[in-house]
Amino acid sequence: MSVTAAKGFTAAGIAAGIKENGNPDLALVVNHGPRRAAAGVFTSNRVKAAPVLWSEQVLKSGELAAVVLNSGGANACTGPKGFQDTHATAEKVAEALGCGAGEVAVCSTGLIGVLLPMDKVLAGVETAAAQLSEHGGEKAAIAIKTTDTVHKTSVVTKDGWTVGGMAKGAGMLAPGLATMLVVLTTDADVDSGTLDKALRAATRVTFDRVDSDGCMSTNDTVLLLASGASGVTPGHDDFADAVRQVCDDLGQQLIRDAEGASKDIKIEVVGAATEADAVEVGRSIARNNLLKCAIHGEDPNWGRVLSAIGTTSAAFEPDRLNVAINGVWVCKNGAVGEDRDKVDMRYREVHIVADLAAGSETATIWTNDLTADYVHENSAYSS
Amino acid sequence: MSVTAAKGFTAAGIAAGIKENGNPDLALVVNHGPRRAAAGVFTSNRVKAAPVLWSEQVLKSGELAAVVLNSGGANACTGPKGFQDTHATAEKVAEALGCGAGEVAVCSTGLIGVLLPMDKVLAGVETAAAQLSEHGGEKAAIAIKTTDTVHKTSVVTKDGWTVGGMAKGAGMLAPGLATMLVVLTTDADVDSGTLDKALRAATRVTFDRVDSDGCMSTNDTVLLLASGASGVTPGHDDFADAVRQVCDDLGQQLIRDAEGASKDIKIEVVGAATEADAVEVGRSIARNNLLKCAIHGEDPNWGRVLSAIGTTSAAFEPDRLNVAINGVWVCKNGAVGEDRDKVDMRYREVHIVADLAAGSETATIWTNDLTADYVHENSAYSS
């Protein structure tokens, strides 16, 4: 159901010919109101793609009528011409829908440093606008895939109102955010301030804590649009919970589909003096290539966890660190703990607990193992 | 020639049985004076192996009579017993040589979190002491190998004095420093203050700028010992140059032997506002797994260079960045530059120039590509 699960939205996904293989590559999501409230969060990479620069600007009004998304090209590092192309795409959508270009967000994903084939993009917008449907959410989710093997959607329905969404992303997944495009919609009757607050709170503990390969994208975008079509205004906490639930589900789907991965690794940092310490330690472990290789080989190599913790500025004493892998405390007080042979690593999910013994704060970061398939996928094809 | 190229030093390398495969695994380097000046730099990882904690202490006197090194076990994260084992090893060397244990540095490399087989280590020290020779440098260099495919030595001879050394390291190579043990010797007649200054100046621009896989070790140690046996006291600059030259050569040998690598990547950051900016940007590029995969696939994917630069706090404007790969300026002013098809990537060395257009400072960081062989080597074996 994706972005059309909530009332007041239509969507479409089509093959515009941007991708050479003819797969679907252009999606359109339209908010029919009565509200057009919106919020967004964007990559913290300082090299931002043209569509990110554009969408950040249009979001300042707190309103969006539509989002147009393309795969097959990131339109990043494309100079003034790239920005003109994004603008022209928004104008084309505005013309087709009868709204202003300043109410249209644009998202792109694909190879950096290549201009989009604008004749195909603009013709594709017309085709998509003609196919908009209340059942178009699934097709839209399919059209934004790049190296994703599956499309990702999620829906939470509450008492008379719904939050739904779609996501794409498989590589270049890292905090603050991933190569990841996410569009969430809701028919709750809430203003853009509420959307913004709920979205930032949700991404901080979901997408921002997914770190597949440590590589931050130029194009990451998460948008949340509210139509108000349900006529229900939920309580702030209920609404924030629903948004977080959808973000968490989509984030998990991203990790499970990460390029070449054979293991999903949940890194739970406990006993931290601050939440920031817990996040820093979790990220450092998540980015340690040697550990990621060891997990791929089903080797509970806790020494690599300790060496990763040791590179951080978090509060801890080396001789008080404890590490459990899949429930076995293989490291106690910074030294050898239970027998590493007791660790069962046959299953896809691997759970690492790193106890800093320095306080009571925690954070959970998700990552994947590093595999020959990841290397192959990212060396054999430009992406 | 290695550590015995300089006059006043003997060395040995033997198989003590620490490694299960019977390969050489214990080395001893002895300074016969007349001077026993010494300096050292150690890993900045906060989780430090027992031999690092020991050697940092004994170095405080500015004097060393000997260095004992073992492969086959890192003696890291081994608690109080691990530290006792390091102490006992130094005592054994002191007994064999007739010096104090506080004049003996200890270095270990291998798997973290496993105690050393001390009966074999102590017997090995006796055997090594009995085999000390002015020609033992080569054997010592061989005995400290872990996953290294070749042993690494370097010698610079100047007017009447010499600096020589040996190094090991192939994985867990990252700044500040690598899983890397280095022992340098000189017969120049210089004090420990001069050694310390020359060594820190050299490592800062050589070993500290080698970043093979972003993983910082618990055991990194670089030692420089002076015997004064040449009777020559070189000028500070001449001496510092020679030390840097040997460090640079050994650092290059580490990169060329990095685990699984098929490309050596020289990342030259130019036009930086500060040297610190240049180093930060160089490291960020060196640690980008997606770029390292692309280089493996001989794909001049400059978008991944820009996305790595964008994650740093260095001074730059995205639309003024320029990137050359093997002499072709594929990115100009943050956008598409010369045709990427012009880039010839058939050779082992790949040269990336990242121009921040923000000043005149530069730094060069060396790294490798990321390959399926790296994944295999680090997932199939505990190390």
Side-chain angles (χ1 to χ4, degrees):
Chain A
M1 291 291 283
S2 168
V3 289
T4 48
K7 286 190 283 286
F9 292 92
T10 58
I14 61 131
I18 307 167
K19 286 180 181 166
E20 284 181 6
N21 63 9
N23 283 342
D25 50 20
L26 194 136
L28 189 57
V29 181
V30 179
N31 183 354
H32 297 277
R35 259 189 195 281
R36 285 179 165 183
V41 293
F42 300 91
T43 182
S44 57
N45 198 309
R46 291 169 60 203
V47 175
K48 294 180 206 299
V52 169
L53 295 171
W54 170 266
S55 298
E56 277 184 331
Q57 282 304 314
V58 302
L59 244 292
K60 288 190 175 166
S61 66
E63 295 211 335
L64 281 183
V67 184
V68 58
L69 310 94
N70 75 273
S71 51
N75 196 8
C77 306
T78 44
K81 178 67 170 74
F83 192 81
Q84 287 165 22
D85 288 348
T86 291
H87 186 179
T89 306
E91 288 283 5
K92 187 73 181 178
V93 172
E95 184 191 313
L97 301 180
C99 63
E103 296 172 283
V104 179
V106 182
C107 303
S108 299
T109 177
L111 185 62
I112 297 173
V114 177
L115 289 165
L116 291 171
M118 284 307 292
D119 51 339
K120 291 176 179 163
V121 171
L122 298 181
V125 168
E126 274 189 41
T127 309
Q131 296 187 16
L132 284 167
S133 150
E134 287 174 10
H135 308 289
E138 206 80 12
K139 283 189 174 171
I142 291 168
I144 60 175
K145 285 169 56 186
T146 53
T147 55
D148 305 67
T149 64
V150 293
H151 62 285
K152 290 116 183 163
T153 66
S154 183
V155 174
V156 168
T157 297
K158 296 281 184 173
D159 196 16
W161 55 279
T162 292
V163 179
M166 63 180 183
K168 67 78 45 179
M172 217 189 254
L173 277 176
L177 308 162
T179 297
M180 178 176 89
L181 302 180
V182 179
V183 179
L184 308 174
T185 57
T186 182
D187 47 20
D189 192 14
V190 292
D191 61 20
S192 63
T194 303
L195 293 180
D196 190 67
K197 203 173 152 193
L199 186 61
R200 287 180 194 282
T203 56
R204 196 179 75 84
V205 294
T206 56
F207 299 124
D208 278 359
R209 296 193 182 171
V210 166
D211 192 340
S212 172
D213 63 1
C215 297
M216 192 194 293
S217 156
T218 50
N219 287 55
D220 306 320
T221 303
V222 184
L223 300 173
L224 171 56
L225 283 65
S227 69
S230 70
V232 179
T233 303
H236 274 261
D237 289 352
D238 280 354
F239 184 67
D241 277 352
V243 172
R244 195 183 55 243
Q245 212 173 316
V246 172
C247 288
D248 195 42
D249 183 23
L250 290 172
Q252 291 297 313
Q253 292 182 48
L254 292 173
I255 276 289
R256 285 198 293 274
D257 194 31
E259 287 171 349
S262 71
K263 301 279 188 193
D264 303 330
I265 309 171
K266 178 183 184 179
I267 300 163
E268 193 180 349
V269 182
V270 304
T274 65
E275 187 184 1
D277 274 7
V279 171
E280 184 192 359
V281 167
R283 280 205 204 300
S284 179
I285 297 170
R287 290 180 173 190
N288 189 283
N289 279 350
L290 286 171
L291 176 67
K292 290 155 76 93
C293 287
I295 300 294
H296 178 51
E298 304 191 342
D299 171 14
N301 197 322
W302 59 268
R304 293 175 179 176
V305 177
L306 258 69
S307 73
I309 297 172
T311 63
T312 70
S313 62
F316 70 84
E317 292 301 324
D319 58 1
R320 295 197 61 199
L321 295 170
N322 306 299
V323 175
I325 301 180
N326 285 354
V328 181
W329 288 94
V330 284
C331 170
K332 288 183 182 172
N333 295 319
V336 188
E338 292 179 65
D339 187 351
R340 66 168 80 201
D341 290 344
K342 287 187 187 161
V343 182
D344 183 352
M345 298 186 68
R346 286 172 299 173
Y347 303 100
R348 185 174 174 101
E349 188 171 320
V350 175
H351 184 195
I352 297 175
V353 182
D355 173 17
L356 303 185
S360 57
E361 296 295 324
T362 69
T364 297
I365 302 282
W366 283 87
T367 189
N368 305 102
D369 56 344
L370 179 58
T371 70
D373 286 348
Y374 175 89
V375 174
H376 180 69
E377 191 155 346
N378 287 296
S379 60
Y381 314 104
S382 254
S383 62
Chain B
M1 292 288 283
S2 171
V3 288
T4 48
K7 286 191 285 286
F9 292 91
T10 58
I14 61 129
I18 308 167
K19 287 180 181 166
E20 284 180 5
N21 64 9
N23 283 343
D25 50 20
L26 192 137
L28 188 58
V29 181
V30 179
N31 183 354
H32 298 277
R35 260 190 195 280
R36 285 177 163 182
V41 294
F42 300 91
T43 182
S44 56
N45 198 310
R46 289 168 60 202
V47 175
K48 294 181 205 298
V52 169
L53 295 171
W54 171 266
S55 299
E56 278 184 331
Q57 282 304 316
V58 302
L59 244 291
K60 288 190 175 165
S61 66
E63 294 212 334
L64 280 182
V67 184
V68 58
L69 311 93
N70 75 274
S71 51
N75 197 6
C77 307
T78 44
K81 178 68 170 73
F83 193 80
Q84 286 164 21
D85 288 348
T86 291
H87 186 178
T89 306
E91 288 283 4
K92 186 74 181 177
V93 172
E95 182 191 316
L97 301 179
C99 65
E103 296 172 284
V104 180
V106 181
C107 303
S108 300
T109 178
L111 184 62
I112 297 173
V114 177
L115 288 165
L116 291 172
M118 284 306 291
D119 50 338
K120 291 174 180 165
V121 171
L122 298 181
V125 167
E126 272 188 41
T127 308
Q131 295 186 16
L132 285 166
S133 149
E134 286 175 11
H135 308 289
E138 207 79 13
K139 284 190 174 168
I142 291 167
I144 59 175
K145 286 168 58 187
T146 53
T147 55
D148 305 68
T149 65
V150 293
H151 62 284
K152 290 113 181 166
T153 66
S154 183
V155 174
V156 168
T157 297
K158 295 282 184 171
D159 198 16
W161 55 278
T162 292
V163 178
M166 63 181 185
K168 69 76 47 181
M172 219 190 254
L173 278 176
L177 310 161
T179 294
M180 180 176 86
L181 302 180
V182 179
V183 180
L184 308 174
T185 57
T186 181
D187 47 20
D189 191 15
V190 292
D191 61 20
S192 62
T194 304
L195 293 180
D196 189 68
K197 203 172 151 191
L199 185 61
R200 286 181 193 282
T203 55
R204 197 179 75 85
V205 294
T206 56
F207 298 123
D208 278 359
R209 295 192 182 170
V210 166
D211 193 338
S212 172
D213 64 3
C215 298
M216 192 194 293
S217 155
T218 50
N219 287 56
D220 306 320
T221 303
V222 184
L223 300 173
L224 171 56
L225 284 66
S227 68
S230 71
V232 180
T233 303
H236 274 261
D237 289 353
D238 281 354
F239 183 67
D241 277 354
V243 172
R244 194 181 58 244
Q245 214 173 313
V246 172
C247 288
D248 195 42
D249 184 23
L250 290 173
Q252 291 297 312
Q253 292 182 47
L254 292 173
I255 276 288
R256 285 198 293 275
D257 194 31
E259 287 170 350
S262 71
K263 302 279 189 193
D264 304 330
I265 310 171
K266 178 183 184 178
I267 300 163
E268 194 180 348
V269 182
V270 303
T274 65
E275 188 184 0
D277 275 7
V279 171
E280 184 191 358
V281 167
R283 281 207 203 299
S284 178
I285 297 170
R287 292 181 172 187
N288 190 282
N289 280 351
L290 287 170
L291 176 67
K292 289 155 75 93
C293 287
I295 299 294
H296 179 52
E298 304 191 343
D299 170 15
N301 197 323
W302 60 267
R304 294 176 179 178
V305 177
L306 258 69
S307 72
I309 297 173
T311 63
T312 70
S313 62
F316 70 84
E317 292 300 325
D319 60 0
R320 294 197 62 200
L321 295 171
N322 306 298
V323 175
I325 301 179
N326 285 353
V328 181
W329 288 93
V330 283
C331 169
K332 287 182 182 173
N333 294 319
V336 189
E338 292 179 63
D339 186 352
R340 66 168 82 198
D341 291 344
K342 286 185 187 164
V343 181
D344 183 353
M345 296 186 69
R346 285 171 299 170
Y347 303 101
R348 183 171 175 103
E349 188 170 320
V350 175
H351 185 194
I352 297 175
V353 181
D355 174 16
L356 304 185
S360 57
E361 296 295 324
T362 70
T364 297
I365 302 282
W366 283 88
T367 190
N368 306 102
D369 55 344
L370 180 58
T371 69
D373 286 347
Y374 174 89
V375 173
H376 180 69
E377 191 155 347
N378 287 295
S379 60
Y381 315 103
S382 256
S383 62

